[in-house]
Amino acid sequence: MPVKIVLIGARSHRQGTGPFIAAGLAAAGAEITGIIGTSENTVAEALQGLKQDWGIATNGFTELATALEEATPDAVAICSPWRFHAGQLQQAAAAGCHCLVEKPLAWPASEQEVATLIESFTQEGLLLEMVGQWPTTLPAFTELHGPLPDEIDEFCMRLSPISIGRVMVTDSAPHFISMLQALLGPGELKDCEIHTTGADQLTVQAGYHHHRGTTHCRLLLETSLERPRPAWYSINGLRADRRVVLPDYHQLLVAGNREVPLTDPMHLVTQNFIRRLGQQAPTDSQKLLGAHRNLLQLDQSWA
């Protein structure tokens, strides 16, 4: 039997990933049994887009509670704005549903509040995971530059959120943190500094303290309203840029005149989620809580 999933936020109104997550879940063999939007008009628009662009036909709802009752999902994919995540996660856990949620897990929220949210899943044996597309590009990076170094002294990442000001960090830093976790394992961001050169451009600098030492890291953010948005990262000075080829949104990782095709990162994320559900894999509480703790550390650097 396919995994039944309802998805919150199936439109890509601003920088949303809902349609791509829905497509990836369907490609991984899941059944999208419903989508939830804020109004009948937005739901109708999302249903039309999923059918037209991805061949996904499903049911629409304006309330998560109704979708949970009528669509009886096994899991919920949360792609709504992050300020709604905490309440939606609580509803999903109470209904006994696994959950795949866009970053950040819940915001604004204290470390204790997030720990309680995570526990509501783990104590019921439910899988809770965050969307983390950037670490899926690391195999392509090794094709460009060779094996990852044993010692990573420096990591830098450039992202282009649609937001401005302080919200840029909330929108983008979770991707940065997910890369640090993937490359270096659990760790703590310390000595964080945020330098602004305008409301639409800033630099985050910090040291990521992990079991092998400390890695100097920087996050460069600059607002971009147009897609595809510039993005790249470098490891010990070896840089790889993401290139998106329109109109089919084909993605490449590029270094100089060399390029490596990327399997759609969203499809890899959703495939992994469905695979881990089939394996009855446990929630990685340490990873989720560590990501939130580091995001709090960055946000507090504004003070």
Side-chain angles (χ1 to χ4, degrees):
M1 293 289 290
V3 176
K4 297 193 297 181
I5 297 181
V6 298
L7 185 140
I8 309 170
R11 291 193 309 157
S12 185
H13 177 56
R14 280 170 60 83
Q15 53 187 349
T17 57
F20 308 104
I21 293 291
L25 289 168
E31 178 185 357
I32 309 299
T33 58
I35 62 167
I36 301 100
T38 55
S39 70
E40 291 184 1
N41 287 339
T42 60
V43 168
E45 182 182 335
L47 288 171
Q48 181 180 4
L50 289 178
K51 179 66 174 177
Q52 177 178 307
D53 298 335
W54 307 102
I56 298 173
T58 187
N59 301 305
F61 303 90
T62 56
E63 297 292 338
L64 175 57
T66 305
L68 291 170
E69 181 178 354
E70 297 185 9
T72 61
D74 303 301
V76 177
I78 298 179
C79 304
S80 55
W82 38 256
R83 63 184 180 276
F84 300 120
H85 288 184
Q88 293 164 348
L89 284 165
Q90 290 169 348
Q91 285 184 269
C97 292
H98 308 280
C99 198
L100 177 66
V101 57
E102 261 292 0
K103 300 179 185 308
L105 188 70
W107 194 265
S110 68
E111 184 175 340
Q112 182 55 54
E113 288 170 332
V114 166
T116 300
L117 269 179
I118 295 170
E119 185 180 359
S120 68
F121 284 84
T122 57
Q123 67 186 0
E124 299 298 329
L126 299 170
L127 179 62
L128 172 63
E129 288 194 345
M130 281 199 299
V131 174
Q133 60 266 46
W134 277 99
T136 70
T137 69
L138 287 172
F141 183 93
T142 63
E143 285 192 52
L144 287 173
H145 293 297
L148 294 173
D150 293 331
E151 299 293 333
I152 298 178
D153 300 313
E154 180 269 340
F155 176 75
C156 184
M157 192 171 198
R158 154 70 196 270
L159 295 172
S160 306
I162 196 172
S163 50
I164 61 173
R166 189 168 184 165
V167 179
M168 295 170 75
V169 174
T170 309
D171 283 341
S172 301
H175 298 292
F176 176 64
I177 293 166
S178 73
M179 286 293 284
L180 293 171
Q181 290 181 320
L183 289 166
L184 301 161
E188 300 289 335
L189 285 168
K190 297 184 178 180
D191 303 317
C192 305
E193 297 179 1
I194 296 178
H195 304 280
T196 62
T197 52
D200 61 351
Q201 192 174 32
L202 60 85
T203 300
V204 177
Q205 295 189 120
Y208 188 70
H209 296 249
H210 49 90
H211 71 287
R212 286 180 287 174
T214 300
T215 297
H216 176 69
C217 49
R218 288 187 302 150
L219 174 62
L220 313 176
L221 299 177
E222 186 170 350
T223 303
S224 176
L225 300 179
E226 296 184 3
R227 291 180 173 177
R229 301 187 182 101
W232 56 263
Y233 62 88
S234 67
I235 299 171
N236 287 357
L238 298 174
R239 174 168 157 171
D241 289 61
R242 184 191 64 182
R243 179 181 298 166
V244 180
V245 182
L246 300 176
D248 60 356
Y249 221 76
H250 177 61
Q251 299 185 54
L252 304 163
L253 208 61
V254 179
N257 60 1
R258 294 171 294 135
E259 58 185 39
V260 175
L262 287 175
T263 302
D264 189 320
M266 288 300 184
H267 281 219
L268 293 176
V269 167
T270 49
Q271 286 171 12
N272 185 62
F273 179 69
I274 297 300
R275 177 181 59 81
R276 285 175 56 78
L277 278 181
Q279 296 172 339
Q280 298 183 326
T283 292
D284 190 339
S285 302
Q286 181 188 39
K287 181 179 179 181
L288 293 175
L289 194 56
H292 189 74
R293 185 183 301 117
N294 281 313
L295 183 59
L296 284 170
Q297 186 70 20
L298 290 178
D299 184 70
Q300 289 164 5
S301 300
W302 286 93

